[in-house]
Amino acid sequence: MPAAHGPRRARIAFSDSAAKQLDAITSEAELHALDRALVVISVDPDAGEPLPGDSTGPHLRQYTDDMEHVRLLYWVTALRTVVVVAYIEV
C-alpha cells in the first residue's frame, strides 16, 4: 500500500536582489527565521497579503512573521512557484 503524501509544496526561487540579500546573511538566527518563513509560503503560497498594485505585472504578496521578525515580498507563478523578490528584516 503506497504511503499517503501531503500536499505538494511550492518551489521557491529568488530574484537577483533577494539572492544578494540571502548571501549577505551571516547570522544563524536570521537564517533560521528566514527558513521558517519560506516553509510557510512553500506550504501555503496564499499565506501572505496581496499588495495593492496594477494588473500589468505580477501580483506581489507580503508575508510577515512578527514573532521571527521577517517580512518577505513575493509573487506566485501560474505553476505555483513562489518567487521571492526581497527578504526584508522587520
Side-chain angles (χ1 to χ4, degrees):
M1 182 169 181
H5 295 285
R8 188 177 145 218
R9 288 187 180 189
R11 185 174 156 258
I12 303 285
F14 295 93
S15 69
D16 289 342
S17 62
K20 287 178 186 175
Q21 287 180 310
L22 185 60
D23 288 341
I25 297 174
T26 57
S27 163
E28 204 163 308
E30 288 178 355
L31 281 174
H32 176 73
L34 176 59
D35 281 345
R36 288 177 52 105
L38 291 172
V39 166
V40 170
I41 63 171
S42 73
V43 171
D44 181 10
D46 297 323
E49 303 169 353
L51 293 175
D54 60 25
S55 60
T56 60
H59 299 285
L60 288 176
R61 300 185 70 82
Q62 169 182 265
Y63 173 76
T64 303
D65 182 334
D66 294 327
M67 184 175 231
E68 294 286 347
H69 305 292
V70 172
R71 187 171 118 193
L72 296 172
L73 300 180
Y74 66 97
W75 60 283
V76 182
T77 68
L79 297 176
R80 302 299 282 171
T81 296
V82 175
V83 179
V84 177
V85 176
Y87 158 73
I88 303 166
E89 187 175 1
V90 177

